[in-house]
Amino acid sequence: MKLTNYIDGVWQGEAASYAVVLNPANGEELAQVPLSTEEEVQQAVAAAKKAQKKWALVPAPKRADYLYEIGRMMKDKKEHLAQVLTKEMGKVIEEARGEVQEGIDMAFYMAGEGRRLIGETVPSELQDKFAMSVRAPIGVVGLITPWNFPIAIATWKSFPAIVAGNTFIWKPATETPLMAYEMALIFEEVGLPHGVANIVFGSGSDVGTALIEHPDVRVISFTGSTETGRHVAELGGRHLKKVSLEMGGKNAVIVLEDADIELAVEGILWSAFGTAGQRCTACSRVIVHKDVKEELQKRLLESMQDLTMGDGLDETVKVGPVINEKALEKIQSYIEIGKSEGANLVAGGHVLNEGKFATGHYFEPTLFTDVAWDSRLAQEEIFGPVVSLITVSSLDEAIEVNNSVAYGLSSSIFSQDVNKVFRAQRDLDTGIVYINAGTTGAEIHLPFGGTKGTGNGHRDSGVAALDVFTEWKSIYIDYSGKLQRAQIDTE
Ligand SMILES: NC(=O)c1ccc[n+]([C@@H]2O[C@H](COP(=O)([O-])OP(=O)(O)OC[C@H]3O[C@@H](n4cnc5c(N)ncnc54)[C@H](O)[C@@H]3O)[C@@H](O)[C@H]2O)c1
C-alpha cells in the first residue's frame, strides 16, 4: 500500500519518493510512506490557516461533538487499530489495545473540555469595571510525534488542539505512519471540516524543519528524543515559536528494605520489559536497598525466565521486537559499554536472530547488577529491554541516585512506610512519581511530562495540555462611562 498525505480533507497524489515501512516482528513490508518536501508543508499550512478562521468560530461544545464522534469510531475500530499498531510498532497486542484505549479516553475527556475551557473572572480594582481572562485559540499548530506511541501521543496533542479552536498539521514518525493513516480515515468519516486535521508524512529534517520554520505555524508540540528536541527548541526559539517538548527518560524504580518484593518484581517486569523497554517512562534502573538486593535479584531473575518473546500479535507473547536494526545496534553498544564499565551482566545481553526470530529485531531482556550510579549504563537512555541494578544504603542515597541523571520523567518507589514514601514523592525530581507501582501507567486526565532533559515545562495530557494550545487573553470591560485609569489614585 502506498500512503498519501491528507491535506484539506483530500488524499494527495503520488509523492516523488517513498520509504518502506517494515513490520519489526518479521520484516514484512507493510506500506510505503511518502517522503514529503517543504512544498507539501506549505500547502498543508495554507489549508490549515484558511480552515482555522472558520473553525475558531464554531462554538467549543460543537467542536467537541466531533471529538465524541471520533472517540466512538475509535471504540468501534479498537481491535483493528490495535492490530495495525502491533504490526507497525511491534508492541504486544495487549499493550496496543491499551494505547488505543488511551486515545479513546483522550477523545471523550477533551470533548468534555469543550463545555468548560475554563477561564477566570476576577474583580477589577476600579468601580464599574469588569475583568476576565479567557483561553483563546492560537491558530495553526504543528505536531511532531515519535514511533513508540504512534496513536496515543498524537491524540494527546491533536484533541486539545482542535477542541480549543486550532487546526493542525501532524508529522508522524516515518517508522509508524499507519496509525496516522487510520486516524485520517476516522477524521474523514466523522466529517471533520476540511483543513482542520492535516497529515504530512516525511523525515524530521525535511517536513519537521519546514513546519518549525513556517511563519504561520504558531505552536510546535514535539515528542521524541532529547537530542532532536534540543534542535527543535533551538530552531523554534530562533523563529520565536511556542515550543512544547516531551523528551527522553532514564527512569528508576526504588526498592526499599521494607518493600513488598513480589509486588516490586511485578512492577519492574512490566515497566522495564513492556514495549521491549521502548517507552519514555520505561524502568531502566532499579535502585535497591542493600538489605533486599539479593532477594530482589533472585526473584527478578526467576521471573524474567517467564518472559515469552515473539511477534506481539501472539497473545501469549510478553516481549515483542524492538523497532529496527539501528535500535538493536544501539542496545548492543550499551551491553559492551556496561561490560567495559565493570557492571555484572547476569541475564540476557544478546540479539536473537535464529529460528522464529530470524527476520525480526529481537533483543533478550537483560539485567546488569553492581552498576555504578554514575556510569554511562546508568545515566544514558538506552531505549531497549535493559535494566541496571544499583545498590544503595538509605532512602537519601536512593533519592540522590534517582535524581543524578540528566532526565526527569518518571520515578517509582516500593515501600510500606508512609513517612518514607511521602518524603520521597516530595524529593524525587521527576514529573511523574508512582508509589508501589512501576514507572509506567499514566492516566490521560493528569499532566504528562518531565523535568530537566525530559521537558521544557509544558505538559501533554490533562487540562495542562490546553496551556500549550491556547493563549490567555485578558479582557477589561469598563461600563462607568468615563475614562478610568488603573494604578492612578483618582481620589
Ligand atoms: N516524554 C515523552 O512524552 C515521550 C514519549 C514517547 C517517546 N519519547 C522519547 O522519544 C524518543 C523515541 O522516539 P524517536 O526515536 O521517534 O525520537 P526522534 O527524536 O528520533 O523523532 C521524533 C520525531 O521527531 C522527528 N524529527 C527528527 N529529526 C527532526 C528534526 N531535525 N526536526 C524536526 N523533527 C525531527 C522524527 O521524524 C519523529 O517524527 C525517546 O527518546 C523517548 O524517550 C518521549
Side-chain angles (χ1 to χ4, degrees):
M1 171 172 55
K2 263 188 177 169
L3 299 175
T4 64
N5 293 328
Y6 181 71
I7 299 174
D8 209 8
V10 177
W11 296 98
Q12 304 293 300
E14 288 244 341
S17 62
Y18 291 85
V20 177
V21 184
L22 302 175
N23 181 335
N26 55 25
E28 170 204 0
E29 180 175 324
L30 297 173
Q32 292 186 38
V33 56
L35 293 173
S36 311
T37 62
E38 191 184 342
E39 207 175 300
E40 282 86 50
V41 172
Q42 285 187 354
Q43 205 188 328
V45 175
K49 189 178 178 187
K50 190 162 150 248
Q52 199 267 331
K53 286 199 172 67
K54 275 197 190 159
W55 183 242
L57 296 178
V58 175
K62 295 264 182 305
R63 293 196 294 253
D65 283 345
Y66 289 99
L67 279 181
Y68 283 119
E69 283 304 311
I70 290 169
R72 274 192 279 271
M73 197 159 286
M74 288 176 76
K75 219 168 153 182
D76 289 347
K77 292 184 166 191
K78 181 174 171 181
E79 187 56 29
H80 167 71
L81 293 171
Q83 300 262 339
V84 176
L85 170 49
T86 291
K87 280 190 193 165
E88 73 168 349
M89 189 277 154
K91 67 180 61 177
V92 302
I93 188 72
E94 184 190 17
E95 292 177 50
R97 289 183 189 121
E99 179 176 345
V100 175
Q101 187 58 46
E102 253 185 80
I104 297 167
D105 293 342
M106 197 65 188
F108 293 130
Y109 173 64
M110 273 300 151
E113 275 309 311
R115 288 193 179 266
R116 283 189 295 263
L117 283 178
I118 292 167
E120 275 186 331
T121 56
V122 290
S124 165
E125 61 188 62
L126 295 166
Q127 193 184 318
D128 296 335
K129 194 171 174 185
F130 188 85
M132 63 184 166
S133 48
V134 298
R135 286 185 184 276
I138 301 182
V140 177
V141 304
L143 315 177
I144 302 176
T145 56
W147 51 263
N148 69 331
F149 277 85
I151 193 164
I153 291 176
T155 67
W156 295 355
K157 297 178 188 303
S158 59
F159 294 172
I162 58 179
V163 84
N166 307 283
T167 55
F168 69 84
I169 295 111
W170 171 18
K171 191 212 88 61
T174 44
E175 291 87 345
T176 52
L178 288 170
M179 280 294 104
Y181 166 71
E182 294 288 341
M183 285 308 294
L185 289 177
I186 292 175
F187 296 147
E188 196 178 33
E189 278 177 66
V190 303
L192 195 65
H194 291 177
V196 172
N198 304 276
I199 295 169
V200 179
F201 298 105
S203 75
S205 48
D206 291 334
V207 175
T209 304
L211 270 178
I212 301 164
E213 289 186 329
H214 199 296
D216 289 334
V217 177
R218 301 268 297 269
V219 178
I220 293 289
S221 177
F222 166 87
T223 298
S225 64
T226 299
E227 191 188 356
T228 309
R230 193 182 301 277
H231 168 75
V232 169
E234 283 169 4
L235 194 57
R238 209 177 306 150
H239 293 271
L240 295 180
K241 292 285 160 75
K242 183 175 188 181
V243 178
S244 163
L245 304 170
E246 303 296 342
M247 302 174 285
K250 185 72 183 178
N251 317 289
V253 166
I254 297 171
V255 184
L256 293 186
E257 65 277 27
D258 60 5
D260 175 338
I261 299 293
E262 213 49 60
L263 187 64
V265 167
E266 265 187 64
I268 294 164
L269 283 183
W270 174 244
S271 38
F273 303 120
T275 320
Q278 304 166 108
R279 293 174 178 142
C280 50
T281 51
C283 162
S284 176
R285 300 177 294 157
V286 173
I287 303 170
V288 59
H289 191 278
K290 61 180 174 27
D291 292 353
V292 288
K293 186 245 176 192
E294 289 308 324
E295 190 190 350
L296 181 82
Q297 182 177 327
K298 183 170 155 283
R299 308 268 275 267
L300 197 52
L301 282 170
E302 281 165 8
S303 302
M304 283 172 68
Q305 314 254 326
D306 300 333
L307 294 173
T308 323
M309 293 188 68
D311 186 332
L313 285 180
D314 176 345
E315 303 269 356
T316 64
V317 163
K318 294 275 180 263
V319 181
V322 297
I323 189 73
N324 53 27
E325 190 65 35
K326 210 168 130 209
L328 278 183
E329 284 165 16
K330 183 176 174 193
I331 299 164
Q332 188 66 62
S333 78
Y334 275 98
I335 302 301
E336 299 315 316
I337 289 168
K339 286 189 205 160
S340 71
E341 288 176 329
N344 196 5
L345 179 63
V346 293
H350 302 104
V351 173
L352 296 180
N353 49 18
E354 285 176 6
K356 69 171 183 175
F357 301 116
T359 50
H361 306 295
Y362 294 91
F363 202 91
E364 289 179 317
T366 298
L367 181 66
F368 277 100
T369 64
D370 308 302
V371 179
W373 67 269
D374 57 350
S375 61
R376 285 187 63 195
L377 188 64
Q379 293 282 320
E380 297 175 13
E381 187 182 46
I382 301 171
F383 227 53
V386 180
V387 177
S388 295
L389 212 64
I390 303 167
T391 310
V392 293
S393 307
S394 65
L395 172 61
D396 282 341
E397 191 185 351
I399 292 172
E400 211 172 305
V401 169
N402 179 80
N403 293 350
S404 69
V405 296
Y407 303 99
L409 183 51
S410 177
S411 53
S412 122
I413 180 162
F414 284 85
S415 167
Q416 313 272 21
D417 184 332
V418 69
N419 296 335
K420 285 184 181 158
V421 297
F422 262 87
R423 153 81 212 290
Q425 62 78 26
R426 184 194 66 194
D427 292 342
L428 291 167
D429 189 0
T430 53
I432 306 169
V433 176
Y434 292 96
I435 311 296
N436 291 325
T439 52
T440 55
E443 299 178 33
I444 56 96
H445 51 298
L446 278 78
F448 185 95
T451 62
K452 299 189 283 185
T454 296
N456 64 341
H458 293 289
R459 291 291 186 268
D460 276 342
S461 281
V463 178
L466 290 171
D467 291 336
V468 175
F469 297 109
T470 54
E471 293 281 10
W472 280 112
K473 185 177 277 186
S474 298
I475 303 164
Y476 301 95
I477 302 161
D478 193 319
Y479 54 97
S480 69
K482 54 187 188 234
L483 184 69
Q484 301 196 84
R485 292 173 295 169
Q487 294 94 35
I488 306 287
D489 188 0
T490 50
E491 288 303 305

